[in-house]
Amino acid sequence: MQNLKIYNTLSRQKEEFKPINAPYVGMYVCGPTVYNYVHLGNVRTFLTFDVLYRYLTEIGYKVRYVRNITDVGHLVGDGDEGEDKIGKMAKLEKLEPMEIVQRYTNDFHKVLEQFNFLPPSIEPTATGHLVEQIEAVKVLIDKGLAYESNGSVYFDISKYNAAGNDYGKLSGRILEDLLNETRELDGQAEKRNPLDFAIWKNASPEHIMQWKSPWGMGFPGWHLECTCMSTKYLGKQFDIHGGGMDLKFPHHECEIAQGVGITGTEPVRYWMHSNMLTVNGQKMSKSLGNSFLPAELFAGSHPLLDQAYSPMTVRFFMLQSQYRSTLDFSNDALRAAQKGYRRLINGLRIVKTLTIGINDKPADTVLSELINDAQSAVVDKPATATPAVEIAIDQKKKEDIEKTIQAFYEAMNDDLNTAVAIAQLFNLLKYVNMIYMNQLNPRALGEDTFNLLKEKFVVFLEQILGLKEEPIAQGDGILSGLLSLYKEYKSSQRYDKVDEIRAYFKSNGMTIKDMKHRIDWAWEE
């Protein structure tokens, strides 16, 4: 196992990752409230935990990854008052709430598939766990940590803190300051304390989504669903809980209080939060007109975009920044990411074809072997190959490749520092290109190091960072045919046709690489 360190929001420092029951890891991530299209802030959060899931798996852990779907209980304004977000959208669209849920859950899955995210192990829904939530409310009432008021049930913050707990410790909020901030808010009449939060809400007659409970018709509080689903599938204490930094308070703060209240145990060992997105230095916001959806990025249809950007370009762009840092969208940054992504994908195409076999031997050795084989066949003798020319091991290059591979792991072990890890990937790419351009004989690295270079380049790029070559509209067969024609036209000096083929490749974002030893194509960088 690698010595992975994770920044724990609760302790406010990097800690060595020690699972409760290694090699098994339990990870819960707050999923979307499916009342609208998934936005880029969501995508960045889910990317963080997709990479963590991939990396933990790569270094030998067996991960149960749970990411929920919120399909009830999340009210407008994220508080205890107002309409349910899904119910409100259902009224506007004149649809059943579950039609809204299905529509935007489908969109969520589609977008994540476009970004090449791995699916979670379990994807539970809030409405699928109403029984567990009602039982949790009963437990909290029995323990004196919750009370019923006018058909709603609230978590009692004062009693929780009086029992030696610290509501506010995750977000760093001080209870007295929170009380001062909330004292004048409306809708507090039912509560004993302004900070108390709903774990079950009484539903008014016009509220679309409501269910029977011991306290009357109602629906669960937004915070309660994650407590019930995470502990059901991962146990009363599990390893990692993730989400966007906007969820630290009140959502995750309330989850801690509920978990401790129900089980008497801290529910989570490591709390992880990804940072926000900005656009040209400003916070991404619909009101500022600088918020765009993934589909707008892919189509280039937003007024702030100069061109379309592919899903893998955007994924690569996001990976260039460590997940806890602010990430700023701009056309310049996206164009630079497109070039970087294409350089790596060109390397991926190359590395999958590299061999240490006959094509890498000096020409005179190849010719000698072929003559030997022919002579052996004439006299009906077993073929005997001429030994390959001995190539001295370049110890410096060999050691540099091995150190670079280790540096990639060290970057990932440093709280998933994908920015530094990508820099190491480009260092490996340098050697891939040297071999490809016949500037370095792979035998000079030794067979073990050469194979390690090939293996780790693919593992780092595809399996850990989750980048892949995007499909070519023309198809590989057509491109191969065009390259054959290009070679034929060039040899027959039909340069008008040569230029036509070059122009065709360029119009599709590709370039022809005309080298002494081969003709190939690559993505334009």
Side-chain angles (χ1 to χ4, degrees):
M1 296 294 184
Q2 296 285 326
N3 185 25
L4 173 62
K5 289 189 176 179
I6 289 174
Y7 183 86
N8 190 345
T9 307
L10 191 59
S11 65
R12 292 164 182 73
Q13 62 184 5
K14 291 179 188 177
E15 298 178 8
E16 184 178 349
F17 179 60
K18 294 181 178 180
I20 297 166
N21 187 28
Y24 301 98
V25 173
M27 180 170 75
Y28 185 89
V29 175
C30 288
T33 301
V34 282
Y35 72 102
N36 212 330
Y37 295 109
V38 61
H39 59 76
L40 284 172
N42 293 141
V43 171
R44 191 193 187 190
T45 295
F46 301 132
L47 174 61
T48 297
F49 297 100
D50 180 66
V51 172
L52 178 58
Y53 182 28
R54 289 171 176 273
Y55 187 62
L56 288 171
T57 302
E58 170 60 26
I59 61 177
Y61 290 109
K62 300 181 185 300
V63 186
R64 177 177 287 179
Y65 175 18
V66 182
R67 186 186 66 215
N68 74 298
I69 295 288
T70 296
D71 57 358
V72 70
H74 194 170
L75 305 185
V76 175
D78 298 345
D80 291 337
E81 303 300 322
E83 287 186 85
D84 185 290
K85 292 184 177 185
I86 291 166
K88 181 179 180 180
M89 185 62 73
K91 289 178 183 176
L92 289 173
E93 298 283 345
K94 296 182 179 178
L95 296 171
E96 284 291 327
M98 286 301 122
E99 286 184 85
I100 295 295
V101 166
Q102 193 65 55
R103 172 189 293 177
Y104 295 113
T105 299
N106 290 346
D107 171 72
F108 172 65
H109 289 153
K110 176 185 174 183
V111 168
L112 266 55
E113 186 177 342
Q114 288 173 311
F115 280 108
N116 197 32
F117 287 13
L118 296 176
S121 313
I122 303 172
E123 192 174 56
T125 63
T127 54
H129 294 77
L130 288 165
V131 171
E132 289 86 351
Q133 292 174 84
I134 289 172
E135 288 304 310
V137 174
K138 290 177 182 177
V139 170
L140 290 169
I141 290 174
D142 291 344
K143 290 191 172 186
L145 291 172
Y147 57 90
E148 187 270 339
S149 178
N150 296 330
S152 294
V153 181
Y154 295 95
F155 189 93
D156 195 324
I157 296 293
S158 297
K159 287 193 176 180
Y160 175 73
N161 273 16
N165 300 302
D166 182 12
Y167 182 82
K169 65 183 178 181
L170 179 69
S171 57
R173 307 292 183 97
I174 298 170
L175 193 62
E176 288 73 15
D177 293 342
L178 290 170
L179 283 167
N180 290 332
E181 291 170 12
T182 59
R183 200 178 303 278
E184 303 302 323
L185 293 179
D186 294 331
Q188 305 288 354
E190 291 184 347
K191 302 180 182 181
R192 295 175 184 172
N193 192 306
L195 281 183
D196 295 348
F197 59 89
I199 53 179
W200 186 267
K201 279 291 290 180
N202 178 44
S204 58
E206 66 273 11
H207 197 95
I208 300 176
M209 305 175 78
Q210 52 180 289
W211 293 266
K212 288 182 180 179
S213 79
W215 314 282
M217 296 298 292
F219 54 92
W222 173 39
H223 314 305
L224 189 61
E225 62 174 278
C226 288
T227 294
C228 293
M229 289 187 281
S230 62
T231 54
K232 175 172 181 174
Y233 297 111
L234 300 175
K236 67 179 182 180
Q237 186 181 52
F238 54 95
D239 298 301
I240 299 169
H241 194 315
M245 65 179 300
D246 57 313
L247 296 180
K248 280 196 292 186
F249 186 89
H251 187 55
H252 290 163
E253 201 77 71
C254 294
E255 278 192 62
I256 291 176
Q258 291 164 164
V260 172
I262 292 167
T263 68
T265 303
E266 282 285 339
V268 179
R269 279 211 176 173
Y270 304 89
W271 286 92
M272 297 178 67
H273 295 90
S274 62
N275 212 326
M276 68 177 67
L277 299 178
T278 57
V279 179
N280 298 320
Q282 287 187 305
K283 182 180 178 181
M284 186 178 284
S285 165
K286 287 183 180 179
S287 61
L288 294 174
N290 66 355
S291 175
F292 34 77
L293 299 171
E296 292 175 313
L297 263 178
F298 304 156
S301 59
H302 194 281
L304 290 177
L305 296 172
D306 292 344
Q307 65 177 74
Y309 299 97
S310 73
M312 288 298 98
T313 295
V314 179
R315 182 179 178 113
F316 178 73
F317 167 72
M318 290 185 176
L319 289 170
Q320 287 181 297
S321 178
Q322 204 268 352
Y323 75 93
R324 287 191 295 113
S325 61
T326 303
L327 179 62
D328 188 53
F329 268 81
S330 70
N331 282 288
D332 287 344
L334 285 165
R335 279 193 295 269
Q338 184 179 63
K339 289 182 180 179
Y341 161 71
R342 286 180 171 179
R343 281 181 62 198
L344 288 176
I345 290 304
N346 285 334
L348 183 67
R349 292 183 63 249
I350 292 167
V351 84
K352 289 182 176 181
T353 65
L354 293 181
T355 67
I356 201 165
I358 191 169
N359 293 333
D360 299 309
K361 298 176 185 178
D364 56 345
T365 303
V366 174
L367 181 61
S368 175
E369 289 179 1
L370 290 173
I371 291 170
N372 259 1
D373 290 346
Q375 290 172 342
S376 299
V378 169
V379 297
D380 199 25
K381 292 179 181 178
T384 55
T386 301
V389 174
E390 289 293 325
I391 302 292
I393 298 294
D394 189 326
Q395 199 62 34
K396 187 175 183 302
K397 288 185 173 64
K398 172 184 168 70
E399 289 176 1
D400 187 48
I401 288 171
E402 291 167 355
K403 286 178 182 177
T404 302
I405 288 169
Q406 185 55 37
F408 180 96
Y409 281 111
E410 288 170 0
M412 294 300 293
N413 289 336
D414 183 20
D415 195 31
L416 298 188
N417 197 330
T418 53
V420 175
I422 285 171
Q424 301 307 326
L425 201 52
F426 277 111
N427 288 337
L428 291 181
L429 178 62
K430 175 181 67 175
Y431 289 103
V432 170
N433 286 333
M434 286 173 68
I435 296 170
Y436 179 63
M437 298 297 292
N438 277 2
Q439 296 168 354
L440 173 64
N441 192 308
R443 285 192 178 80
L445 303 175
E447 188 170 353
D448 288 347
T449 301
F450 171 73
N451 289 333
L452 188 67
L453 169 64
K454 286 190 62 177
E455 175 198 344
K456 292 303 182 183
F457 192 88
V458 175
V459 166
F460 291 167
L461 191 68
E462 290 188 324
Q463 295 179 30
I464 295 177
L465 297 179
L467 294 165
K468 65 177 182 178
E469 184 172 11
E470 291 173 310
I472 305 164
Q474 298 82 0
D476 283 323
I478 292 175
L479 295 184
S480 298
L482 286 171
L483 288 178
S484 296
L485 283 173
Y486 175 87
K487 187 177 180 180
E488 182 182 322
Y489 289 143
K490 191 174 180 186
S491 64
S492 60
Q493 298 185 352
R494 297 182 63 184
Y495 296 118
D496 56 332
K497 293 296 183 183
V498 167
D499 291 341
E500 282 181 19
I501 294 174
R502 278 192 173 279
Y504 177 80
F505 273 78
K506 186 174 180 61
S507 68
N508 286 279
M510 295 175 280
T511 184
I512 292 178
K513 303 189 78 169
D514 213 335
M515 299 171 283
K516 286 183 179 180
H517 59 293
R518 62 165 69 89
I519 293 173
D520 204 349
W521 71 271
W523 293 105
E524 278 192 334
E525 297 173 7

